[in-house]
Amino acid sequence: GQLASHYAPRTRLLLVPVAASFAIPAGQRVGLLASQHHETNDRFEAVRVLSMKNDPVEAAAKLFRYLRELDAMNLDLIVAEEVSEQGLGTAIMDRLRRAAR
């Protein structure tokens, strides 16, 4: 797991602070890896929420499964929301940054 490519999906991954402010490019099929549920999530082709309870342990446990699921959907782009870099959130952000390379 030391190589950045170890975490990278085939589909391009873009990190954003908040999904609600992301403008989906016209004609693109975009999936969302959300840190938590938002009302605007329905704009995306597919959505996976890391934790409905904002629980970093649950988010870490679901991270790679959800990345693989989104990657398998033949999307043009995966947008991942940043998580708070406190405690386990630091490790989650490290993995997301590696996946976004």
Side-chain angles (χ1 to χ4, degrees):
Q2 296 300 316
L3 299 175
S5 61
H6 177 79
Y7 300 103
R10 290 181 313 276
T11 307
R12 192 178 121 217
L13 183 114
L14 177 67
L15 281 172
V16 298
V18 179
S21 63
F22 179 76
I24 296 174
Q28 297 259 319
R29 295 181 66 238
V30 180
L32 173 64
L33 182 64
S35 60
Q36 57 190 343
H37 177 73
H38 303 285
E39 296 302 317
T40 59
N41 288 0
D42 61 353
R43 301 179 305 124
F44 294 87
E45 182 78 21
V47 177
R48 297 294 181 271
V49 179
L50 290 174
S51 177
M52 297 294 270
K53 301 174 281 185
N54 203 22
D55 176 9
V57 174
E58 179 184 16
K62 292 179 176 180
L63 177 64
F64 292 115
R65 182 179 76 203
Y66 284 173
L67 272 177
R68 285 191 305 271
E69 286 178 12
L70 290 167
D71 196 27
M73 293 181 177
N74 197 31
L75 300 165
D76 297 304
L77 175 67
I78 299 170
V79 172
E81 279 188 313
E82 296 174 358
V83 300
S84 171
E85 291 197 59
Q86 295 179 346
L88 195 51
T90 302
I92 293 169
M93 281 302 299
D94 174 67
R95 299 321 187 263
L96 286 172
R97 283 188 189 98
R98 291 172 187 242
R101 293 185 185 190

